[in-house]
C-alpha cells in the first residue's frame, strides 16, 4: 500500500493505492493519527482490495474527524469495494462521492 | 478443470503475514476454474477473514499454533475449510454489524462479510472449524 497526501482547495487528500488489509491498515491508521487537518478526503481509486480491518480503519478515521469537528469524505471506490460498504451498510455512515472533485467541493 | 475436481490441504503458522500467503495459495489452486474478478474477490476475502479470526481469536496470536486450510472444488462448487486449535466460539454471539447502533464500531464485520459473500457457511459444534461454500455458475463466473 502507498499513500500520497496533498492539499486541494484547502482540503487534505489522502490518495491510497494497493490494498488496505490486516497487514497494511496499521500504516494508514498511523499516518492519519499524525495529521491534524480538519478537512480530509480519502481517495480509494487505486485501491484494489479492502478487508474488514481496512473498513475498521476507515471507520476509526471518520470517528476521529467527527470528534475533532472536522469533515471527511470518501471517493474513488471500485464497484467491489463499494459493494462491501453497501453490504455492511457503511454507505449510510460515510459521505461517499463519485469523484475527488465532488468530494473536495463538499468537504471544504 | 479436472473432471471430478480437486482438493488441497495445508497448515500455516499463526502470524498475520501468513494470511495473504494462504489466500494466494488457494487462488492459485483455483486457477483452473477461471473465476471472474468478483468471485475471486469473494473467495479471497472470505478465506482471509476466516484465517484472521482463527489467528486472532482462535489462537489469541499464539505463534506456536497452526491454522489448517482446506480448499476443494468440483463441477458445482468451491469449498473452503478453516480450522484452528482454539476452544471455538459461538457464532450466535456475533452481533449484527449492520444495526444502527453497531455501524460506528470498528470491529465485528468479518463473519458478517463471510456470510454475505459465500453461499453456505457452517461451523462445527465446537466452533473451531468453519466451512464455506461458493456455488459455481456458468455466468457470471465464466467457468
Amino acid at each position: 500500500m502507498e499513500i500520497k497526501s496533498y492539499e486541494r482547495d484547502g482540503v487534505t487528500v489522502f490518495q491510497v493505492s494497493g490494498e488496505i488489509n490486516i497487514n497494511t491498515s496499521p500504516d494508514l491508521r498511523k499516518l492519519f493519527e499524525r495529521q491534524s487537518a480538519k478537512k480530509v478526503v480519502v481517495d480509494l481509486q487505486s485501491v484494489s482490495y479492502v478487508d474488514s480491518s481496512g473498513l475498521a480503519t476507515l471507520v476509526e478515521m471518520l470517528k476521529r474527524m467527527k470528534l475533532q469537528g472536522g469533515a471527511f469524505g470518501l471517493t474513488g471506490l471500485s464497484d467491489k469495494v463499494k459493494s462491501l460498504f453497501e453490504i455492511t451498510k457503511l454507505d449510510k455512515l460515510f459521505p461517499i462521492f463519485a469523484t475527488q472533485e465532488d468530494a473536495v467541493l463538499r468537504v471544504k | 478443470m479436472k473432471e471430478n475436481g480437486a482438493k488441497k490441504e495445508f497448515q500455516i503458522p499463526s502470524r498475520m503475514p501468513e494470511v495473504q500467503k494462504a489466500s494466494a495459495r488457494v487462488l492459485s489452486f483455483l486457477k483452473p476454474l477461471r473465476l471472474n474478478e468478483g468471485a475471486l474477490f469473494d473467495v479471497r476475502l472470505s478465506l482471509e477473514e476466516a484465517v484472521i479470526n482463527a489467528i486472532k481469536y482462535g489462537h489469541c496470536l499464539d505463534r506456536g499454533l497452526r491454522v489448517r486450510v482446506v480448499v476443494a472444488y468440483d463441477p458445482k462448487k468451491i469449498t473452503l475449510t478453516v480450522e484452528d486449535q482454539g476452544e471455538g466460539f459461538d457464532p450466535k454471539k456475533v452481533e449484527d454489524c449492520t444495526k444502527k447502533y453497531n455501524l460506528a464500531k470498528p470491529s465485528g464485520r468479518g463473519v458478517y462479510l463471510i456470510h454475505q459473500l459465500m453461499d453456505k457457511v457452517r461451523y462445527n459444534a465446537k466452533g473451531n472449524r468453519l466451512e464455506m461454500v461458493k456455488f459455481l455458475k456458468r455466468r457470471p463466473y465464466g467457468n
Side-chain angles (χ1 to χ4, degrees):
Chain A
M1 182 187 68
E2 284 184 21
I3 307 162
K4 288 179 189 166
S5 65
Y6 53 88
E7 292 283 314
R8 180 172 175 181
D9 296 339
V11 175
T12 301
V13 177
F14 287 98
Q15 195 146 13
V16 189
S17 57
E19 298 190 353
I20 311 177
N21 61 41
I22 186 77
N23 292 303
T24 62
S25 56
D27 293 338
L28 180 60
R29 188 181 298 115
K30 278 179 205 161
L31 182 84
F32 192 73
E33 284 169 357
R34 283 202 300 267
Q35 67 86 37
S36 56
K38 292 277 186 192
K39 297 170 184 175
V40 169
V41 165
V42 177
D43 189 336
L44 302 176
Q45 192 177 11
S46 300
V47 170
S48 56
Y49 181 84
V50 178
D51 68 8
S52 66
S53 69
L55 295 175
T57 300
L58 293 168
V59 168
E60 287 170 14
M61 290 166 76
L62 174 68
K63 285 170 73 177
R64 188 182 162 95
M65 288 303 295
K66 280 185 175 176
L67 274 174
Q68 293 173 344
F72 186 90
L74 280 180
T75 186
L77 283 67
S78 68
D79 288 347
K80 202 63 203 179
V81 171
K82 193 175 180 186
S83 78
L84 296 182
F85 278 76
E86 290 165 352
I87 288 169
T88 54
K89 294 200 166 54
L90 285 176
D91 59 329
K92 311 287 182 203
L93 191 67
F94 281 90
I96 297 174
F97 303 97
T99 66
Q100 189 189 109
E101 188 177 15
D102 285 346
V104 168
L105 269 174
R106 294 293 296 275
V107 164
K108 78 176 185 180
Chain B
M1 192 200 307
K2 290 177 186 174
E3 197 175 334
N4 295 315
K7 184 177 176 180
K8 182 185 181 78
E9 179 173 340
F10 59 92
Q11 294 191 4
I12 59 164
S14 294
R15 295 174 59 249
M16 289 306 176
E18 298 294 328
V19 174
Q20 278 79 40
K21 290 182 192 170
S23 63
R25 287 176 76 174
V26 166
L27 294 188
S28 172
F29 176 74
L30 295 175
K31 261 187 184 170
L33 297 177
R34 290 183 291 150
L35 301 173
N36 69 17
E37 277 188 29
L40 286 170
F41 191 104
D42 293 350
V43 167
R44 177 185 168 187
L45 187 63
S46 300
L47 181 81
E48 291 191 5
E49 296 293 346
V51 172
I52 289 166
N53 285 345
I55 293 173
K56 201 171 175 182
Y57 303 112
H59 291 167
C60 301
L61 304 172
D62 182 343
R63 292 177 177 207
L65 299 175
R66 297 178 77 80
V67 180
R68 178 172 162 261
V69 177
V70 184
V71 52
Y73 64 81
D74 62 33
K76 290 184 177 175
K77 65 185 183 302
I78 298 165
T79 305
L80 305 170
T81 305
V82 174
E83 182 174 2
D84 63 58
Q85 296 176 262
E87 297 300 314
F89 91 116
D90 183 356
K92 290 175 195 154
K93 288 185 179 172
V94 177
E95 286 191 58
D96 184 347
C97 65
T98 63
K99 295 288 182 194
K100 201 174 178 182
Y101 51 84
N102 284 332
L103 272 186
K105 289 184 180 173
S107 61
R109 294 183 183 85
V111 172
Y112 181 81
L113 282 170
I114 292 170
H115 279 271
Q116 297 303 310
L117 300 178
M118 300 298 278
D119 295 312
K120 277 175 74 178
V121 178
R122 68 179 174 205
Y123 289 86
N124 64 346
K126 187 181 173 184
N128 71 328
R129 187 175 68 240
L130 173 60
E131 187 179 280
M132 303 165 279
V133 174
K134 186 87 171 168
F135 292 117
L136 298 170
K137 300 162 190 166
R138 282 235 165 257
R139 294 180 192 280
Y141 297 123
N143 57 300

